[in-house]
Amino acid sequence: MGRAARRGYPEAIFCEGKAPEHVAAIAGAVRDAVESGTTSGSVLFTRASAAHAEAVLAVLPDAVHDPTARILAWPPRAPEPTGGLVAVLCAGTSDLPVAREALLTLTYLGRPTQLVVDIGVAGLHRVLARQDLIDEARAIVVVAGMDGALASVVAGLARAPVVAVPTSVGYGAAFEGLAPLLSMLNACAPGVGVVNIDNGYGAGHLAAQIAAPPPRSA
């Protein structure tokens, strides 16, 4: 607890590996902390299975649940968006769970966002058709499996920094995301930062910090 006070960003609970009853206990502690005024702002439950979601909703019945992204957010109302636009570019529909994890993280961290799906390099014209959005964005999250080439292509077109997310989508030699990870780390275009495989939350958080409104003058 206390992340909002320390960093100005919401708490996040990584559910994977935790028993549902442990996640329920954490949800209860979060509710009590908010009601007592000990903490404030949104709380995200990430990598939540159906059992985790059921446990959280039993304690926080009005929480928003996105089964695709495996995220729950509470309180349900996202903050009013501030700062620069963050574009989330998702190479293929198979990458959508990770892209939606990034999108919802950005939303509950208070950034304006736009998600574009099925924009992979197998149809380069689809990337070029989104040049206006790429130009407008303050930060860009690129989510791609297979060869991970989309990050380098977008970075070559963008003024904004690119946060690249390799996914575990692909055939055998993709090695569950290792191939796109290495491709993104070796991007020819500068301005690419890479997070861990399938880490949509980490990508969304970093992009939200990049696109944050400027600090107020003292």
Side-chain angles (χ1 to χ4, degrees):
M1 295 292 183
R3 185 180 303 185
R6 293 193 311 273
R7 302 194 58 201
Y9 292 101
E11 297 284 349
I13 293 91
F14 183 78
C15 298
E16 196 171 285
K18 294 181 175 68
E21 56 266 30
H22 295 156
V23 175
I26 293 168
V30 166
R31 177 199 58 205
D32 294 345
V34 170
E35 289 177 352
S36 68
T38 313
T39 190
S40 61
S42 302
V43 177
L44 299 175
F45 295 83
T46 68
R47 293 298 177 90
S49 67
H52 290 131
E54 183 179 359
V56 171
L57 291 169
V59 180
L60 304 171
D62 58 340
V64 170
H65 177 215
D66 187 314
T68 301
R70 295 189 292 165
I71 276 187
L72 296 100
W74 187 83
R77 184 182 177 89
E80 287 298 317
T82 59
L85 174 69
V86 180
V88 180
L89 306 184
C90 178
T93 309
S94 297
D95 303 305
L96 189 57
V98 178
R100 286 200 60 80
E101 185 181 32
L103 179 77
L104 286 168
T105 300
L106 285 157
T107 299
Y108 281 90
L109 268 62
R111 298 293 166 266
T113 63
Q114 186 171 337
L115 172 65
V116 181
V117 182
D118 201 19
I119 193 174
V121 296
L124 189 57
H125 60 286
R126 293 174 294 193
V127 182
L128 299 176
R130 295 291 182 165
Q131 186 67 57
D132 288 349
L133 174 61
I134 291 169
D135 289 342
E136 183 184 357
R138 180 88 65 80
I140 302 168
V141 175
V142 172
V143 182
M146 299 288 188
D147 56 11
L150 182 61
S152 190
V153 170
V154 171
L157 298 170
R159 298 181 179 90
V162 170
V163 180
V165 193
T167 74
S168 51
V169 172
Y171 297 104
F175 295 110
E176 298 182 333
L178 182 59
L181 171 64
L182 294 175
S183 176
M184 291 170 173
L185 287 170
N186 285 284
C188 181
V192 179
V194 186
V195 299
N196 210 339
I197 297 166
D198 291 336
N199 188 7
Y201 167 76
H205 203 298
L206 178 56
Q209 291 182 257
I210 292 170
R216 295 177 181 176
S217 302

